[in-house]
Amino acid sequence: MKKFRSDFLWGGACAANQCEGAWNKDGKGLSTIDVLSIDERHKDHVTLELRENVIYPSHKGNQFYEKYKEDIRLLAEMGFKCFRLSINWTRIFPNGDDEEPNELGLQFYENIFKECKKYNIEPLVTLSHCEMPLNLTKNYKGWANRKCIDFFVKYATTCFKRYKDLVKYWITFNEINFIFNIGYLYQNGGVNLEEGDNKRELLYQVAHNQLVANAKCVIECLEIIPGSYCNASLSSTICYPRSSDPLDYYEALKDMNEYQYGFLDVMCNGEYNYQWLNTIEKENLHIETEPEDFAILKKGTANYIPFSYYFSGLSIDRTAEVTSDRIHNNDNPYLDKTEWGFIVDPTGLRSACDVYFGRYNKPLFIVENGIAKCEELVDGTVHDDYRIDYFRNHINALHQAVDDGCDILGFTSWAPIDLISQGEGKMSKRYGFIYVDINDDGSGTGNRYKKDSFYWYKKVITSNGEDLD
Ligand code: BG6
């Protein structure tokens, strides 16, 4: 079998709002997620105000803001070559439309990146991971407003310039396609849906504005940091036909065209695909564009494809009254699922690599993959053999994709250290190799404990993915 590249970047990934806490420290502004309570997840309309006696998980996170040195030391102990984390936009530009950046915020991330470099860990940095300045949501309607393109590019270039000697791998938007899932027009697009809004129109408008912003960032990044990599990441959901009925194959194709290629075609080839253009025309969606947008999309094509992979999907159930979404009603008789309904499908990861690499011929980076469980600490550890099995099977599938001829730059697990779940807003949905003693209500010591998978992943990294026993 072909081997993983000798410079393969093994590591793990997290996001600012899920781990940092310190939501109002050192000049940070309010972000959309700071007003999102546990109860308001998976909703298209949110209160947008802080209320008394409500738990806002982002306010405490897993205490990474205070503990980042300890955490990075633990990652280094596992042999990490790469650490993916996100910058919180509101630490740099607290309101999003500020004239000047907040120096304390810039300094915080500089300290983190320097700490990584101390251990030869390559930072992989996301600029927008499920949040944006609340001010932009309240006063501009989030990414539905194209003014956000300039605000974001200003924020991004401020980071590119400041960190050009420290960071080479960039992700503009986390899972740019996830807006199509309920609740994520707000979490990823900063749009709080009001009565009378045309959701379909807003979805495509947000997508267009973010795609233009992405292309502009790619252009800036490659100019400011020669040799760097920059693109938005994709939430990968390979869609299988529900049956061998040709109609199901057609539905699967349509889903891939909308949810996967619809974004990748623009990011990698600089062009909208026929299905998106047709949808916009047929549904009579009014999308605001400027003539120069299309030249920017063409010029700002990306040089790698970062993507997250948790599950595969099935084409819609044509017989059901309630349509399935990409996470629910997707039971596949050949596959197990987690208690949160995530279908476990290692071969889907291999197929995803083959599909993206075959279609776009750009290096890939798996920037998220992992399994959550409710876990309890017993005698200072967790025996998480299910997590070891999960990663063994997925890394094996990845190895097969390498053997198929795909160029894969790296793999960052989600998430090496327990953190708040994005979908549920809870600590108890745990993904880590490292257990964090914090409960759903925010109580707990915050202490870190190594699970069994900690030692297993260390061995995987040391052997460059050869020893998966
Ligand atoms: C990805 C997100 O979609 O899924 C992460 O980028 C998120 O932020 C991860 O944490 C897992 O989802 P959840 O809802 O289990 O946290």
Side-chain angles (χ1 to χ4, degrees):
M1 260 181 112
K2 284 190 178 169
K3 290 188 184 312
F4 287 102
R5 306 162 58 119
S6 56
D7 57 356
F8 194 85
L9 291 169
W10 295 100
C14 68
N17 80 80
Q18 294 171 262
C19 67
E20 284 178 3
W23 64 290
N24 57 2
K25 287 244 175 83
D26 298 331
K28 180 184 167 305
L30 263 186
S31 109
T32 41
I33 201 105
D34 293 332
V35 297
L36 192 67
S37 64
I38 293 184
D39 302 337
E40 286 183 305
R41 310 268 156 160
H42 303 293
K43 297 228 162 79
D44 275 337
H45 180 82
V46 174
T47 322
L48 296 191
E49 301 298 334
L50 286 174
R51 288 161 292 146
E52 300 272 320
N53 303 320
V54 170
I55 299 169
Y56 295 101
S58 70
H59 292 200
K60 187 166 181 186
N62 71 9
Q63 299 183 325
F64 180 75
Y65 197 78
E66 293 88 34
K67 290 180 178 277
Y68 74 88
K69 285 195 179 166
E70 177 187 347
D71 285 349
I72 294 170
R73 189 171 43 71
L74 282 165
L75 304 182
E77 195 185 322
M78 258 188 287
F80 270 39
K81 312 247 182 256
C82 177
F83 179 33
R84 177 184 173 210
L85 69 158
S86 73
I87 296 180
N88 193 321
W89 188 348
T90 56
R91 288 200 195 281
I92 312 299
F93 289 99
N95 301 296
D97 57 358
D98 318 72
E99 277 299 314
E100 297 297 328
N102 169 29
E103 177 54 31
L104 286 177
L106 285 167
Q107 192 59 52
F108 171 63
Y109 294 105
E110 186 173 321
N111 295 344
I112 291 185
F113 302 148
K114 285 189 171 155
E115 196 66 18
C116 289
K117 291 282 165 171
K118 205 165 108 183
Y119 299 104
N120 287 324
I121 295 176
E122 193 71 51
L124 163 55
V125 177
T126 314
L127 289 162
S128 176
H129 194 129
C130 296
E131 59 180 332
M132 73 189 299
L134 185 62
N135 171 50
L136 298 184
T137 288
K138 282 188 161 173
N139 296 316
Y140 295 86
K141 212 173 176 63
W143 276 99
N145 188 329
R146 59 179 290 128
K147 284 198 178 125
C148 284
I149 300 175
D150 288 344
F151 296 145
F152 185 77
V153 174
K154 179 173 168 180
Y155 154 57
T157 48
T158 303
C159 294
F160 297 152
K161 285 181 187 153
R162 175 72 175 236
Y163 307 125
K164 65 180 187 330
D165 298 325
L166 295 167
V167 182
K168 189 172 153 196
Y169 295 88
W170 294 89
I171 292 174
T172 51
F173 299 96
N174 177 63
E175 298 184 343
I176 191 164
N177 54 335
F178 216 75
I179 47 168
F180 277 92
N181 298 299
I182 186 145
Y184 283 85
L185 189 53
Y186 177 72
Q187 285 201 49
N188 282 13
V191 176
N192 197 27
L193 218 60
E194 305 290 347
E195 232 178 275
D197 277 345
N198 179 341
K199 186 172 176 187
R200 292 282 292 164
E201 200 161 272
L202 285 166
L203 279 172
Y204 283 89
Q205 183 69 64
V206 165
H208 176 74
N209 291 345
Q210 292 193 340
L211 286 163
V212 172
N214 181 56
K216 283 190 159 187
C217 288
V218 170
I219 296 167
E220 291 290 338
C221 186
L222 301 190
E223 207 172 294
I224 297 168
I225 318 174
S228 62
Y229 291 85
C230 184
N231 198 2
S233 74
L234 186 86
S235 169
S236 167
T237 314
I238 291 296
C239 185
Y240 302 134
R242 202 166 273 269
S243 76
S244 51
D245 185 328
L247 287 173
D248 285 332
Y249 173 72
Y250 170 76
E251 290 299 339
L253 188 65
K254 228 168 77 178
D255 187 80
M256 291 293 283
N257 267 331
E258 180 184 59
Y259 192 57
Q260 307 279 285
Y261 310 144
F263 290 85
L264 286 174
D265 286 354
V266 183
M267 298 185 319
C268 297
N269 298 337
E271 279 171 11
Y272 280 106
N273 73 20
Y274 73 99
Q275 186 173 299
W276 269 43
L277 296 174
N278 195 43
T279 301
I280 289 167
E281 189 191 323
K282 273 173 60 178
E283 294 184 26
N284 199 20
L285 306 178
H286 298 283
I287 309 299
E288 189 192 347
T289 61
E290 293 294 335
E292 69 266 21
D293 289 356
F294 301 94
I296 290 166
L297 292 175
K298 201 73 203 165
K299 186 169 172 211
T301 52
N303 55 359
Y304 82 134
I305 302 176
F307 70 92
S308 49
Y309 178 83
Y310 291 90
F311 43 73
S312 54
L314 287 186
S315 59
I316 54 159
D317 184 347
R318 291 176 296 104
T319 59
E321 270 179 33
V322 184
T323 54
S324 52
D325 60 38
R326 290 189 181 79
I327 305 175
H328 306 103
N329 189 16
N330 274 336
D331 288 4
N332 184 324
Y334 297 98
L335 301 167
D336 292 333
K337 60 177 177 179
T338 71
E339 56 202 279
W340 289 274
F342 287 19
I343 299 290
V344 178
D345 179 10
T347 303
L349 174 59
R350 179 185 189 177
S351 301
C353 291
D354 277 278
V355 167
Y356 306 146
F357 192 70
R359 194 172 160 110
Y360 302 104
N361 199 24
K362 310 227 183 224
L364 311 175
F365 204 131
I366 292 76
V367 294
E368 283 182 44
N369 173 241
I371 185 166
K373 278 271 177 184
C374 291
E375 293 170 325
E376 270 179 36
L377 200 62
V378 179
D379 298 331
T381 190
V382 177
H383 300 300
D384 54 344
D385 45 327
Y386 39 84
R387 182 164 292 111
I388 293 174
D389 277 350
Y390 178 95
F391 279 119
R392 179 182 294 121
N393 295 336
H394 282 78
I395 292 172
N396 216 352
L398 196 62
H399 199 170
Q400 287 170 325
V402 168
D403 196 47
D404 291 339
C406 301
D407 183 12
I408 301 172
L409 298 173
F411 174 89
T412 52
S413 73
W414 187 269
I417 305 175
D418 289 348
L419 39 60
I420 307 285
S421 131
Q422 192 69 252
E424 266 51 59
K426 293 184 178 168
M427 266 311 281
S428 52
K429 192 177 182 188
R430 296 175 181 276
Y431 281 92
F433 302 127
I434 296 164
Y435 182 93
V436 176
D437 178 26
I438 296 180
N439 305 310
D440 289 345
D441 63 2
S443 62
T445 59
N447 290 343
R448 276 62 174 146
Y449 301 86
K450 298 167 194 169
K451 303 180 193 174
D452 286 355
S453 55
F454 180 99
Y455 303 98
W456 178 83
Y457 196 51
K458 183 181 171 133
K459 211 172 54 170
V460 173
I461 298 177
T462 315
S463 64
N464 198 27
E466 292 290 322
D467 184 358
L468 303 180
D469 290 342

